[in-house]
Amino acid sequence: MTEFIVRLVQFCRRFAAFVVLVFFALGAVSIWVAAHRLGVDTNTDNLFASNLPWRQHAMAFDREFPQFNDVLVAVVRGATPEESDETAAQLAKAMAADKQHFRDVSRPDADPFFRQEGLLLLDPDDLSKLLTSLMNAQPLLGPLAADPSARGLLNGVSLMAAGVRIQHADLSPYKPALDQLRQVLNNAADGHPTPLSWQNLLGSDVTQQPDNVRLVLTHPVLEEGSLQPGRAATKALERIRDTLPDAKSGRVRIDYTGSVALADVQFGALTKGIVASTVVSLLLLALWLYLAMHSLRRIIPILLTLLVGFALTIGFAALAVGTLNVISVAFAVLFVGLAVDFGIQFAVRLREMRMIHPEIDVALAEGARVSGSQIAVAAAATACGFLAFSPTSFVGVAELGTIAGVGMGIALVCTLTLLPALLSLLKPARQSKELSLPFGPRLDAALHHRHKPVLIVFAMLGVIGLVAAVRMPFDANPLNTQDPHSEPMRTLRSMADNPITNPFNINIMVPTLERARALTDQLSKLPEVSSVISAATFVPADQQASLDQLDQAQVLMLPSLDVDPSAPPLTAAALRSAIADTHDAIVDANAQMPADSPLRSIDAALQRLAKAPDDRLLAMNEAVSRFLPAQLASLRDALNAKAVTLATLPESIKRDWVSPNGQVRIQVSPTVNEQDTAGLRRFVEAVQRIAPDAGGPAVTTIASADTIMRAFKQAAVLATIAIAIVLLLVIRRLQDAGIVLLTLGMSALLTALFARLLGMAVNYANIIALPLLLGVGVSFNVYFVMNWRAGMRRFVSSASARAVLFSALTTGTAFGSLALSHDLGMASMGRMLLVSLVAVLLATFVFLPALLYAIKPPVQVSGTGH
């Protein structure tokens, strides 16, 4: 192999111009192919093989319920439920009119079914509580129906005061409603009118949503080929949001989340600042190369070789894979970080040989003789480390392994052909000063004399690292690689307890409503479960009891809800007269009222309004009566509920809960406490003990984590075997191959130890540090062990060590650009890669020399002993 490499280098030197032109042409063609054929897949589901059982289940569910895919969710939160409803309706109407950006728009919580039949869905006890609350408010309803204005409301308050005076009525059930009225009256008197919530005034807390949340769901028009396909739709949503009156006033807040927004934010983070970080990385790369080479005529060939090799690799990716994913896009950084090592090793050896052989042609041949086989072995072992991931089911890393593995072969070919040609053309000047690390001789001496205690320390660190590796947490939650401060993530976190937006639901398909009810009863008792919803939820089993309650309420209340259209027009004078009458009624009841009666504070607010100008009085009336007619109409509709069956369930509801083939969907949501990795695993296991066929996001999250771990265990075994075979075939000595693998194992244990000390967890993104660890660790260790075989006894002070250190610095610079990424997944990948690199350097510069000093030197087989 050595002689073949030497002849190849000599050939490229003799035909340098031709070789350079051929490679530049191939690079240009590769870039053209990549520009036309290479795409990016933003769907993280495709990171895993489609033939996995859980992926098959997920894809089958997606086919039956496609409406749950590619969703953008607007979350509307108002100061009152009515303001949320009104703004959500305005938002939905505006979005539905924008066909350029939104394919369809729906409001799942505002379906007419819930307005008409919604009270039947309440538990009988909750329904009784709500109807009791409405009964208690009935003294207000009659005057309001007769006069749906502030005047009618004040007449109702006067009647309440009369009830206190005549019958000593207890107003404590009305206190929350009257306190709210007092606040609205005071706000109007201050000149800042706020609407009165009649839902809160007349309703019960059993029907209230936390934060008055309302949802608007849409399937946006996605831009083909864009890294952020939903960005235009999201911008359109923001523009509409900024035009809505209550949103502009600050009374209503509109946020957004959903799978489309989350994917857009993630890929936006990937590209944010990429130009600046790339420029900084290239400048640092050039700096390290200058410090390593001290010659632009050596640096330029290395950089050009790197760029051409990268172009050829990206062309291969376009032909072999066609589409990059969120993990395989990292091949670029890995290629730069690893391929530059080959160029540095070759150039450093050339510089060393020119100190002995002034002629460039002889120095190239001798440098290739010394370093060529080492680079070839390192490249082959590194490629094995990457290619071992190709057969795994974790497609994201499998594709990365294929691209990076072949890329190592491309880098090797470029290093042994294009780089010698470029060096021959540029003819770098001969330098007489030996390049070595300033601390090298002292460290070599220390390791030579104290190798035993050093090895003991590393053995102890290795044991601790093994414990750390066994206990290393795996963060299966893909949301933890998202920016927690982005609007979609903030909104999603705030909605973690909402079954509609919970990202970790479980879906179960059963054949009948009866089976759905039985499973619901079982699942609802699990402590890990917060809610269970199915088609059976919308077809209550015991409706008659609720219908009987509603029939009784109709008899008592419906006459109070019929609005009188002949109410006289309202003027400021009429309001002042009503205020005066209410004041008199409260004063007359003063002796019978307790000291903390809410009527006293209402009277104080009314006296302030009595002195206010007419416009404030009329604004108060508008605030009080704004939502009243709609609330009275809603109550009339709700009290007229009719029995529900699966056949009468509207299609707008049924399509989300019954599959086209008649299967009933059950949705199980975890508690907020069960939404970390350990909790999700408990949740999934608890549900699957009852329903083994359960699927959905929670199941796929845990299954994907298990798939990742199996893939990496499989790849680690394959890579170790393949690397061992390569080393044995080339080195042909079991002990020497064992030294390389032992040092590689120490690097892995140190990586686990450092990551644990830094509080890092393994996730689907940063786990690719393993193939990198194999690649960098093998190449660095091979250089030292092959030099040792050739008779070298100065490891850290050698030219190879200097090349390794500056290779590590250039590699670290590439990884550092990842660590500074705005995408948390890429950033965690970069940090883990840096930790791995530090571990590799410690193992290579300290552990490996100490180990070599402790072992009897082999018989020198080749080389000069440098």
Side-chain angles (χ1 to χ4, degrees), residues 281-363:
S281 296
L282 289 175
L283 290 175
L284 285 174
L285 184 66
L287 173 63
W288 302 136
L289 288 173
Y290 178 76
L291 293 176
M293 302 287 110
H294 290 292
S295 169
L296 285 177
R297 293 191 180 189
R298 287 184 177 85
I299 295 172
I300 292 173
I302 293 174
L303 289 176
L304 289 175
T305 302
L306 192 64
L307 291 174
V308 171
F310 177 75
L312 295 175
T313 303
I314 201 172
F316 167 78
L319 295 173
V321 176
T323 304
L324 300 176
N325 55 60
V326 291
I327 293 179
S328 61
V329 293
F331 87 89
V333 174
L334 296 182
F335 179 87
V336 171
L338 293 171
V340 74
D341 169 61
F342 302 157
I344 291 176
Q345 288 289 339
F346 190 93
V348 166
R349 283 298 189 179
L350 172 63
R351 185 187 189 284
E352 188 179 33
M353 289 300 105
R354 288 207 70 188
M355 294 170 60
I356 305 171
H357 309 285
E359 300 81 7
I360 185 71
D361 54 342
V362 178

Side-chain angles (χ1 to χ4, degrees), residues 40-103:
V40 177
D41 184 3
T42 60
N43 187 350
T44 54
D45 291 339
N46 294 333
L47 291 177
F48 302 92
S50 58
N51 60 355
L52 291 167
W54 59 270
R55 280 280 285 136
Q56 291 283 321
H57 186 286
M59 289 188 293
F61 182 85
D62 289 343
R63 286 192 296 270
E64 292 184 333
F65 297 98
Q67 64 268 31
F68 298 139
N69 296 323
D70 298 330
V71 176
L72 182 62
V73 182
V75 180
V76 182
R77 296 181 177 92
T80 63
E82 291 90 342
E83 287 172 290
S84 294
D85 282 326
E86 186 176 78
T87 302
Q90 294 169 350
L91 178 65
K93 182 179 179 181
M95 291 170 64
D98 185 359
K99 298 299 183 183
Q100 180 183 352
H101 295 108
F102 307 105
R103 290 194 286 116

Side-chain angles (χ1 to χ4, degrees), residues 232-524:
T234 303
K235 290 297 182 183
L237 170 60
E238 291 174 344
R239 286 194 297 272
I240 295 172
R241 173 179 66 184
D242 294 340
T243 65
L244 301 181
D246 284 338
K248 291 168 67 176
S249 70
R251 294 284 299 173
V252 175
R253 177 177 173 179
I254 303 174
D255 302 306
Y256 59 84
T257 185
S259 57
V260 170
L262 289 167
D264 283 349
V265 166
Q266 183 169 29
F267 278 86
L270 283 172
T271 57
K272 185 177 181 181
I274 192 169
V275 174
S277 64
T278 301
V279 170
V280 172
S281 296
L282 289 175
L283 290 175
L284 285 174
L285 184 66
L287 173 63
W288 302 136
L289 288 173
Y290 178 76
L291 293 176
M293 302 287 110
H294 290 292
S295 169
L296 285 177
R297 293 191 180 189
R298 287 184 177 85
I299 295 172
I300 292 173
I302 293 174
L303 289 176
L304 289 175
T305 302
L306 192 64
L307 291 174
V308 171
F310 177 75
L312 295 175
T313 303
I314 201 172
F316 167 78
L319 295 173
V321 176
T323 304
L324 300 176
N325 55 60
V326 291
I327 293 179
S328 61
V329 293
F331 87 89
V333 174
L334 296 182
F335 179 87
V336 171
L338 293 171
V340 74
D341 169 61
F342 302 157
I344 291 176
Q345 288 289 339
F346 190 93
V348 166
R349 283 298 189 179
L350 172 63
R351 185 187 189 284
E352 188 179 33
M353 289 300 105
R354 288 207 70 188
M355 294 170 60
I356 305 171
H357 309 285
E359 300 81 7
I360 185 71
D361 54 342
V362 178
L364 275 171
E366 293 304 312
R369 189 181 305 279
V370 174
S371 66
S373 58
Q374 295 181 0
I375 295 172
V377 173
T382 303
C384 288
F386 283 119
L387 292 172
F389 290 86
S390 298
T392 68
S393 299
F394 188 15
V395 174
V397 173
E399 292 180 353
L400 173 68
T402 299
I403 298 169
V406 173
M408 291 301 95
I410 293 172
L412 173 64
V413 171
C414 290
T415 301
L416 298 180
T417 55
L418 177 60
L419 181 57
L422 288 168
L423 289 169
S424 176
L425 291 174
L426 289 180
K427 294 183 173 57
R430 182 188 180 200
Q431 295 170 309
S432 58
K433 182 180 178 182
E434 183 178 359
L435 287 176
S436 62
L437 297 173
F439 58 85
R442 292 192 299 273
L443 183 56
D444 269 328
L447 293 173
H448 184 266
H449 292 99
R450 296 181 178 85
H451 56 267
K452 288 184 179 179
V454 168
L455 293 175
I456 291 172
V457 170
F458 270 94
M460 296 171 61
L461 291 175
V463 171
I464 300 171
L466 180 61
V467 174
V470 172
R471 298 183 178 180
M472 178 72 72
F474 186 89
D475 186 359
N477 189 342
L479 296 179
N480 289 340
T481 61
Q482 293 263 8
D483 178 6
H485 305 296
S486 67
E487 181 171 339
M489 274 303 300
R490 287 198 315 268
T491 305
L492 186 63
R493 296 290 189 195
S494 71
M495 299 287 290
D497 57 349
N498 189 313
I500 296 178
T501 55
N502 192 301
F504 298 115
N505 290 323
I506 283 179
N507 295 308
I508 305 167
M509 305 302 294
V510 294
T512 63
L513 281 182
E514 290 69 27
R515 178 57 179 156
R517 289 194 179 97
L519 266 183
T520 296
D521 290 340
Q522 289 180 274
L523 294 168
S524 298

Side-chain angles (χ1 to χ4, degrees), residues 96 126 132 167 178 186 214 346 385 390 548 642 644 741 788:
D126 287 339
T132 300
Q167 300 178 347
L178 293 174
N186 276 323
R214 302 293 186 268
F346 190 93
S390 298
D548 290 343
K642 300 294 187 294
V644 182
L741 293 175
W788 177 67

